Amino acid sequence: MSVRKYSLWVCPPSHSPAHALLDGVISKFSSSLSTPRFPPHATLVSPVYAASDSSAIAQVTNYVKKLHEQLGTDIVGNGIPVCVQRVATGIKFYQCVLLEAPGSDVLVAANGVARGHWGINRDVPVFYAHVSLVYGEFEGEELARVAERVGAGLPGDFEESLSFVATEIRVIETVGSCDQWRDIGGVSIILDK
């Protein structure tokens, strides 16, 4: 039996203004910089391993129950807020140019619950709450120029207009290059009463 690798994403609701704006920024710069295009998201945790797509969905469903038990439905019952604050650069391909989300306490706590749920506390670096805008391998002055260009292309009120509340966790099979990734489905964070 083979094991598949997944990433869990929290995304702006697909018909929200934040989704449209983030998708537009990502699309614009992936096109102009010839970098990969990807859906707007914040990675909650990665990697998560499962034997099948249905097993991955079942694991995430159990995780959401645990999330409510550990953090409380009053905290996560309406979703997971992702509050972006500033443009930054990273040293990883998937964190080239990004919006930091340091004030996203519920997202950070949800990551902690996820690490415990999947037993990956020691295997993954410290969680960095962010929303990537550009994937790539730019360095030094070139990276600084790209980040400045991206920052200049954001709405003036981006801290407000690009922040969002995720109401589901998307399960993405992240094997191979970005264009091979597969969204296998989502699990609602909002529990039925």
Side-chain angles (χ1 to χ4, degrees):
M1 176 185 302
S2 66
V3 177
R4 297 178 180 174
K5 182 180 122 186
Y6 300 91
S7 296
L8 306 185
W9 292 356
V10 291
C11 305
S14 60
H15 298 294
S16 68
H19 185 278
L21 288 167
L22 284 166
D23 192 54
V25 169
I26 293 165
S27 177
K28 173 182 175 181
F29 288 103
S30 68
S31 178
S32 69
L33 297 169
S34 297
T35 57
R37 192 174 186 312
F38 50 92
H41 69 279
T43 300
L44 175 61
V45 70
S46 180
V48 168
Y49 296 99
S52 66
D53 293 349
S54 60
S55 174
I57 293 289
Q59 286 183 35
V60 175
T61 300
N62 289 332
Y63 160 73
V64 168
K65 291 175 187 170
K66 184 179 279 189
L67 186 65
H68 281 264
E69 290 168 6
Q70 290 190 14
L71 298 184
T73 298
D74 57 324
I75 301 295
V76 294
N78 293 318
I80 297 176
V82 178
C83 306
V84 300
Q85 293 183 6
R86 61 186 158 266
V87 177
T89 59
I91 58 171
K92 296 179 181 177
F93 178 85
Y94 301 110
Q95 296 176 356
C96 184
V97 179
L98 52 92
L99 294 170
E100 290 182 321
S104 301
D105 297 339
V106 176
L107 177 62
V108 173
N111 171 265
V113 173
R115 286 170 181 253
H117 183 75
W118 279 283
I120 54 176
N121 290 324
R122 287 172 264 125
D123 298 339
V124 177
V126 174
F127 183 62
Y128 182 31
H130 71 280
V131 175
S132 289
L133 299 175
V134 174
Y135 289 171
E137 295 180 345
F138 302 100
E139 295 179 356
E141 290 181 19
E142 183 181 24
L143 177 58
R145 281 192 302 275
V146 169
E148 184 177 330
R149 204 169 128 202
V150 171
L154 296 177
D157 68 341
F158 76 86
E159 295 93 342
E160 182 180 333
S161 62
L162 300 182
S163 293
F164 60 91
V165 176
T167 57
E168 70 176 353
I169 297 170
R170 302 302 304 171
V171 183
I172 312 298
E173 185 180 31
T174 48
V175 175
S177 61
C178 301
D179 60 343
Q180 296 172 310
W181 292 354
R182 204 168 50 90
D183 183 334
I184 65 155
V187 175
S188 179
I189 299 166
I190 314 300
L191 296 179
D192 294 330
K193 301 194 183 205

